[in-house]
Amino acid sequence: MDHLDRQYEARAHVARTVQRSRTDRATIRLLLTQGVLPLVTRSRPTESPWMEVTFTHGVTSGRWFNTYVRHGHSVRFNLLPLSLVPAVLAAVGDSPDSEEAAFHDPADFQGDAARWLDKQTAGLLGVVDSRPLPGYDAEAFDAPTYTSELSGRWQVEGLALLELSGPHLTAVCNLELLRLSETAAHAVITAFVNQVSEH
């Protein structure tokens, strides 16, 4: 019986490896078909397996990091246009965490960008931090502020950390999605590629 268990485990390992490489290739092919040239870096044979795919489209850069463990994927976007954020977040395909949603208050969101995001993401995001409006002294006690950092969590998987560059709808953001499954990470990158191909 022990011999059969080892055989089964070896076959399961091969099947997982093949599936991973298919998803990797599918994601890389998707980027290439939209004219986004990815740079792929992989672990050495002596290391635990990981893969990093970096890509750029216009001013936006992205990074997908894959550790090949369940919910071990992360995707980060730098200088992502605000208009693309809702579709990227929706691609995770899960409901917002109910505990965090209980504390959600639309009145907490300051600035057009943060209020717009709140409406577009149906209560997924919560306020983490605020900054003084551009042109105001950061040390002044009564300086008007805008919501600069937000975060959100889904029920089953995923954590979103978002930093806004400013209060207006022309803002760009840095968005990091952590603890994703392979399927969710692929869906996030697909949503990004579909959005940029429409613009």
Side-chain angles (χ1 to χ4, degrees):
M1 189 71 162
D2 190 37
H3 174 69
L4 292 175
D5 288 343
R6 283 196 304 267
Q7 272 188 322
Y8 174 79
E9 186 55 40
R11 287 183 181 148
H13 176 71
V14 168
R16 285 191 301 270
T17 302
V18 168
Q19 179 58 41
R20 288 177 195 145
S21 63
R22 283 182 186 155
T23 305
D24 297 347
R25 285 195 306 266
T27 303
I28 292 164
R29 195 172 353 191
L30 174 69
L31 290 165
L32 288 169
T33 58
Q34 295 302 324
V36 180
L37 185 62
L39 174 64
V40 181
T41 308
R42 297 182 188 275
S43 59
R44 295 179 181 163
T46 56
E47 299 174 323
S48 296
W50 58 266
M51 181 193 69
E52 179 184 67
V53 178
T54 56
F55 50 92
T56 303
H57 184 275
V59 297
T60 305
S61 63
R63 173 186 178 262
W64 170 31
F65 191 72
N66 179 357
T67 59
Y68 296 110
V69 296
R70 188 171 186 255
H71 302 297
H73 298 256
S74 64
V75 180
R76 179 174 175 85
F77 296 99
N78 292 322
L79 302 178
L80 182 67
L82 185 66
S83 62
L84 304 185
V85 173
V88 169
L89 292 175
V92 174
D94 193 6
S95 302
D97 182 84
S98 55
E99 288 180 19
E100 287 198 5
F103 295 101
H104 180 265
D105 184 357
D108 292 340
F109 294 80
Q110 301 172 324
D112 292 341
R115 283 193 290 271
W116 183 81
L117 271 178
D118 181 43
K119 288 177 186 167
Q120 298 298 313
T121 59
L124 169 67
L125 299 172
V127 174
V128 174
D129 200 6
S130 295
R131 288 191 189 131
L133 286 171
Y136 286 86
D137 182 6
E139 301 301 319
F141 176 72
D142 58 349
T145 60
Y146 74 95
T147 300
S148 58
E149 293 181 34
L150 303 107
S151 71
R153 197 171 68 202
W154 289 273
Q155 285 191 22
V156 176
E157 64 175 334
L159 173 68
L161 305 171
L162 188 142
E163 182 181 2
L164 288 167
S165 66
H168 305 296
L169 293 175
T170 55
V172 293
C173 66
N174 295 332
L175 173 63
E176 188 164 17
L177 302 169
L178 305 166
R179 297 197 312 245
L180 297 176
S181 67
E182 189 169 15
T183 302
H186 180 73
V188 162
I189 294 170
T190 301
F192 168 75
V193 168
N194 289 342
Q195 290 291 305
V196 297
S197 66
E198 292 172 9
H199 286 82

